[in-house]
Amino acid sequence: MKGLMLKELYLIKSFAKQYVLFLVLMAAWSIMVHNISFVATYIMVLGSSLILSTTSMDELVSFNRFAVTMPIDGKKIVKSKYTVLFLTVGLGEVLVWLFDRAVNLLADWKMEMIDGEGMIVMVALFLSANAISIPVMFKVGVTKSRYTYIVVMITIGFIILGGYKASEMAGIPIDDMLNSIESILNLITSAIAVLIVIVSYLISVKIVQKKEW
């Protein structure tokens, strides 16, 4: 497991410079518009997509076919990918928090920050979208997994947008209603995300164990 994790980290290091460059540009844009949501969203997208990037490189060199000749079972391969997902998304959330605190300490003005509850929902959504796409990745490859991820994110976006539009047409103050049930909503969202990740992990393990590399 340690060797697999080191392999993942070395792969991430190999293309880290271009991601850091984009991160700096997004951070600069967030400062200009006084809104951290741009860099926060980018960091979440970046962190959650790294697993697809490293797997794409694995496919190029047929790493999994080589890995099964060593004392590594499919479960460890799957576990390493989910571990990378949690590490990158978790690190991304910490970076967003540090960035907001640093800017607000150094500047004379405050940035519009995504509150803690908003970050919980954002992390849950990105984890859920990736968890749905990972079994597809192990089953039919990275390309179709990316399409699955995009479709899931678009679907989630339409559901959220549709909910707001429906509430406006019905004359229901959706923001006030969400604020009143914020804690319950965060709990439900987190619970659903955890359930999706667990089911996704079990499906991925079953796929890998039955797959002939």
Side-chain angles (χ1 to χ4, degrees):
M1 183 66 183
K2 180 180 178 181
L4 288 172
M5 289 306 303
L6 287 174
K7 185 267 297 181
E8 294 290 326
L9 294 176
Y10 281 126
L11 288 177
I12 292 173
K13 182 181 178 181
S14 67
F15 47 75
K17 290 183 180 179
Q18 58 184 329
Y19 284 128
V20 171
L21 176 60
F22 281 117
L23 178 59
V24 171
L25 293 175
M26 291 302 298
W29 179 254
S30 292
I31 292 175
M32 291 174 60
V33 299
H34 294 203
N35 192 323
I36 202 174
S37 61
F38 294 102
V39 69
T41 302
Y42 174 74
I43 288 177
M44 288 295 105
V45 172
L46 170 61
S48 61
S49 66
L50 285 176
I51 184 175
L52 294 175
S53 299
T54 59
T55 304
S56 178
M57 298 179 74
D58 288 343
E59 288 184 353
L60 288 175
V61 297
S62 300
F63 172 79
N64 290 333
R65 184 177 299 176
F66 169 71
V68 294
T69 65
M70 299 184 291
I72 300 174
D73 58 16
K75 189 174 182 179
K76 288 183 179 179
I77 294 175
V78 173
K79 188 180 293 184
S80 68
K81 295 298 182 181
Y82 281 85
T83 302
V84 169
L85 175 62
F86 281 109
L87 287 176
T88 51
V89 171
L91 178 60
E93 188 170 5
V94 172
L95 287 176
V96 171
W97 184 85
L98 291 175
F99 176 71
D100 174 71
R101 296 301 178 271
V103 171
N104 285 331
L105 283 174
L106 296 175
D108 295 331
W109 36 261
K110 299 293 183 180
M111 294 183 68
E112 184 178 340
M113 174 60 177
I114 300 176
D115 57 22
E117 291 76 12
M119 285 298 295
I120 291 174
V121 173
M122 179 180 289
V123 169
L125 291 178
F126 278 106
L127 281 178
S128 299
N130 277 274
I132 293 172
S133 65
I134 289 175
V136 179
M137 177 184 75
F138 283 116
K139 182 68 175 179
V140 292
V142 172
T143 300
K144 291 183 179 179
S145 179
R146 289 188 190 277
Y147 292 146
T148 302
Y149 175 80
I150 292 171
V151 169
V152 172
M153 291 302 295
I154 291 175
T155 302
I156 292 174
F158 273 117
I159 291 173
I160 294 174
L161 181 61
Y164 271 95
K165 289 296 183 181
S167 65
E168 288 180 359
M169 294 177 62
I172 301 173
I174 186 68
D175 289 329
D176 294 339
M177 184 179 71
L178 290 176
N179 288 332
S180 64
I181 61 171
E182 196 169 54
S183 299
I184 297 175
L185 181 62
N186 290 333
L187 182 61
I188 294 174
T189 305
S190 300
I192 293 174
V194 170
L195 179 61
I196 291 175
V197 170
I198 292 174
V199 172
S200 170
Y201 173 77
L202 295 175
I203 294 174
S204 296
V205 169
K206 186 172 293 187
I207 290 172
V208 171
Q209 289 176 337
K210 293 182 177 180
K211 189 169 184 176
E212 295 181 1
W213 301 103

